[in-house]
Amino acid sequence: MDCVRKLVKKNDEIWGEIRGANKYTMDAQAAKETGDRDEAEAYLYMAGQELEHKDKLRNMAKTMLDKARREGHPHIDMLDEMWAAMVERQEDELCRVKTKMDQAKK
């Protein structure tokens, strides 16, 4: 199932972006604690870029699923359910990262 492999790959790539955003957010918090607001803002910008990459990867997955649906993929319902479960897990971690980002901005 090529579609399954592609969805798993997109999920892995998205997790890489989420981890990157988390790392930059932690760097921003550390810079903030030392009083370096410029550095903190730069790290927050980079964290935001990682989250934009995550959005682009999600759009790529959605485009792939839409194409599979149009082409009558026999397991599209299972693929949709699998992707929804992956996104749900991503959203749990994204909520934590975004909360940390907000805290680092204050």
Side-chain angles (χ1 to χ4, degrees), residues 1-9 64 68 73-80 82:
M1 283 197 151
D2 193 44
C3 287
V4 171
R5 291 185 205 291
K6 286 181 180 180
L7 284 179
V8 169
K9 183 177 188 295
M64 187 202 67
H73 192 288
H75 303 291
I76 190 64
D77 291 339
M78 185 250 338
L79 292 171
D80 283 335
M82 183 180 90

Side-chain angles (χ1 to χ4, degrees), residues 42-101:
Y43 280 124
L44 286 172
Y45 174 80
M46 291 188 290
Q49 291 293 302
E50 297 289 299
L51 296 182
E52 286 183 24
H53 299 162
K54 177 263 313 165
D55 291 340
K56 288 179 183 184
L57 289 163
R58 276 195 186 169
N59 287 340
M60 291 165 67
K62 183 182 178 307
T63 298
M64 187 202 67
L65 286 170
D66 289 346
K67 181 180 180 216
R69 190 174 292 101
R70 282 191 311 275
E71 293 176 354
H73 192 288
H75 303 291
I76 190 64
D77 291 339
M78 185 250 338
L79 292 171
D80 283 335
E81 187 174 335
M82 183 180 90
W83 184 247
M86 290 174 169
V87 169
E88 184 178 325
R89 286 174 180 82
Q90 295 164 10
E91 285 299 317
D92 288 344
E93 184 61 22
L94 278 169
C95 183
R96 287 187 275 282
V97 171
K98 288 177 181 179
T99 298
K100 287 186 219 176
M101 287 176 76

Side-chain angles (χ1 to χ4, degrees), residues 28-40:
Q29 288 174 330
K32 179 184 165 191
E33 288 172 10
T34 65
D36 193 339
R37 290 299 309 163
D38 290 338
E39 187 171 304

